[in-house]
Amino acid sequence: MNAGQELLENKEETSVNQQNDELDSKVAKYADLATDLEKKKKILMILMEHEVAKLEGRKVPSKITIEDMKELLSTYSFSSRVKYMRFLAEKECKKIAERRRKETKTMEREKWLIEKENLEPAEHIQYGIGHNTMVLRVRRSSILRYAYQRLANSVLYGQKLVVDMDFDCFMRKQDCNNCGEQLLELYSANRKNIYPFDLTFCNADLNSPTMSAFRRYMPNLFAPDNFITVTDMSYLDIYPKEKLVYITPYAKEPLKVYDHNAVYIIVFPFCLLRSFFFVFLMFWGLIWDFFLGGFVVNGLKGPVVLAKAKGPNSQFFSYDEYLLWGRGNKSLPLNQLLQILLEMKNTNDWKKAFSYVPQRKLVRSLDLYTEYS
């Protein structure tokens, strides 16, 4: 009996060891994430879900990277993992399409160069693309040099615009990626303007998800000719409080006249979800430089932004005087908020400034006809 029990125990230990070896071999790529047995089992479960989704023909990435697995481990439901894998698959398809487009463009250019070398020299002057022209060609490098010169002038003489990067702990990875992409659009819109702002990113942690996404979308972020200030200091330690004004839709006074001597703060996005906590925080003071919070909101996270604002002066954008707003909240992306501010700074015309509001957020003429007919 003792020999039989020992044999069974040895078989059980052997089977357990074999299972552990199989687990270790399958999760070897994610060894840094598999810190315990539960993590190993969850990684194995995610890999099995990935294989099953492939067999069922669903949208999943070809492989799961370590960063993607780290994000999948933080999910707590099957549906959230399915959505994230679909997001990764769409992202991978976009990269493949972009790579094919570049390869096709390179092949077409090489073919054109070969044809150009085989052409016989013309007897007379030829005008057109690739030939003689009376118009001076303006290269992209010259346009960028002119834009960088305007940014340099804004550093010396322009108005400051501060972006607060202290909201990563309240956002998902998808929201951080979205915020990083919008920061790139913000920089692009600012650079194209004749009188741009001087951008400063405060409370910036270079290892945070938003800054990592921003650096991925803009690899030359720290190039000296970009004229962007990135610091881990707070805006309160950089700019004087007495010049700061906070813009919020719950303010009592509308922003009717643009003050070039004032410094404003605008939290992105405007959240109109009314709750007791939100209204309570409205009465806290508000004040800052042209500050757009680097924060993509989902749910009741607007109060998180307002909780950081303290001061007596607050104003709001008077949308209703110039626009017929439709259903939904009055939140706008970073680049559109920036374009509204730039237009007001340059022209002081609210109608022109609010032309950057997307038409889908406004009431259509058909809806008005249906309502009053």
Side-chain angles (χ1 to χ4, degrees), residues 239-257:
Y239 302 102
K241 293 183 180 180
E242 59 272 9
K243 290 186 178 180
L244 309 172
V245 179
Y246 186 86
I247 300 178
T248 170
Y250 286 94
K252 297 180 179 181
E253 297 181 2
L255 177 60
K256 294 185 176 180
V257 180

Side-chain angles (χ1 to χ4, degrees), residues 260-277:
H260 294 270
N261 296 322
V263 244
Y264 299 94
I265 169 174
I266 296 182
V267 173
F268 167 76
F270 285 146
C271 183
L272 297 185
L273 295 175
R274 296 183 179 272
S275 64
F276 174 78
F277 185 51

Side-chain angles (χ1 to χ4, degrees), residues 116-126:
K116 185 179 180 181
E117 290 179 357
N118 296 331
L119 289 176
E120 296 180 357
E123 297 179 357
H124 302 283
I125 297 177
Q126 292 183 345

Side-chain angles (χ1 to χ4, degrees), residues 45-320:
M45 180 187 66
I46 293 171
L47 293 176
M48 291 176 63
E49 291 175 353
H50 179 256
E51 292 297 328
V52 171
K54 273 186 179 181
L55 295 174
E56 292 179 351
R58 288 183 294 178
K59 286 186 176 181
V60 290
S62 59
K63 59 181 180 179
I64 300 177
T65 63
I66 297 176
E67 290 296 326
D68 297 336
M69 181 60 72
K70 184 178 180 181
E71 182 65 21
L72 289 169
L73 285 173
S74 63
T75 58
Y76 296 98
S77 64
F78 174 74
S79 60
S80 59
R81 289 193 292 272
V82 170
K83 290 180 181 178
Y84 187 69
M85 285 188 184
R86 189 187 304 122
F87 164 75
L88 294 176
E90 292 174 354
K91 187 177 178 182
E92 185 177 7
C93 290
K94 288 181 180 179
K95 287 184 178 180
I96 294 173
E98 182 67 18
R99 185 168 62 250
R100 288 177 180 175
R101 187 187 65 82
K102 288 182 179 180
E103 291 175 354
T104 304
K105 190 174 181 180
T106 303
M107 292 174 61
E108 289 177 354
R109 178 166 178 79
E110 291 176 353
K111 183 179 178 180
W112 178 78
L113 289 174
I114 294 173
E115 292 177 355
K116 185 179 180 181
E117 290 179 357
N118 296 331
L119 289 176
E120 296 180 357
E123 297 179 357
H124 302 283
I125 297 177
Q126 292 183 345
Y127 293 96
I129 299 176
H131 301 288
N132 298 290
T133 179
M134 298 175 63
V135 181
L136 181 64
R137 181 179 179 182
V138 180
R139 300 182 180 273
R140 185 173 182 271
S141 59
S142 301
I143 298 174
L144 291 177
R145 196 179 300 114
Y146 179 57
Y148 293 145
Q149 181 63 38
R150 293 199 300 263
L151 289 177
N153 292 334
S154 68
V155 173
L156 296 175
Y157 312 109
Q159 203 164 8
K160 308 299 179 182
L161 177 67
V162 178
V163 183
D164 188 9
M165 307 295 296
D166 197 21
F167 297 98
D168 286 63
C169 57
F170 302 104
M171 295 190 292
R172 301 173 303 170
K173 186 174 181 181
Q174 297 94 314
D175 300 329
C176 294
N177 291 333
N178 185 18
C179 187
E181 187 175 1
Q182 289 190 23
L183 289 174
L184 177 62
E185 294 178 358
L186 171 108
Y187 173 77
S188 177
N190 184 63
R191 188 180 64 182
K192 293 176 182 177
N193 197 269
I194 300 176
Y195 302 105
F197 291 110
D198 178 22
L199 293 178
T200 303
F201 294 87
C202 293
N203 298 319
D205 182 8
L206 299 181
N207 298 323
S208 65
T210 301
M211 283 301 299
S212 300
F214 188 26
R215 292 172 66 183
R216 186 169 62 253
Y217 288 118
M218 189 175 178
N220 60 339
L221 174 62
F222 296 103
D225 54 357
N226 284 334
F227 299 101
I228 298 178
T229 303
V230 180
T231 177
D232 57 352
M233 297 176 60
S234 174
Y235 34 81
L236 295 175
D237 300 330
I238 302 175
Y239 302 102
K241 293 183 180 180
E242 59 272 9
K243 290 186 178 180
L244 309 172
V245 179
Y246 186 86
I247 300 178
T248 170
Y250 286 94
K252 297 180 179 181
E253 297 181 2
L255 177 60
K256 294 185 176 180
V257 180
Y258 186 92
D259 188 0
H260 294 270
N261 296 322
V263 244
Y264 299 94
I265 169 174
I266 296 182
V267 173
F268 167 76
F270 285 146
C271 183
L272 297 185
L273 295 175
R274 296 183 179 272
S275 64
F276 174 78
F277 185 51
F278 192 94
V279 176
F280 173 75
L281 288 172
M282 175 188 69
F283 295 99
W284 292 14
L286 313 148
I287 220 171
W288 267 248
D289 192 348
F290 260 136
F291 156 60
L292 288 83
F295 179 49
V296 176
V297 105
N298 276 322
L300 290 173
K301 293 180 181 176
V304 176
V305 183
L306 291 180
K308 299 185 64 177
K310 297 179 182 179
N313 196 4
S314 60
Q315 297 176 346
F316 66 91
F317 279 158
S318 55
Y319 289 118
D320 298 332

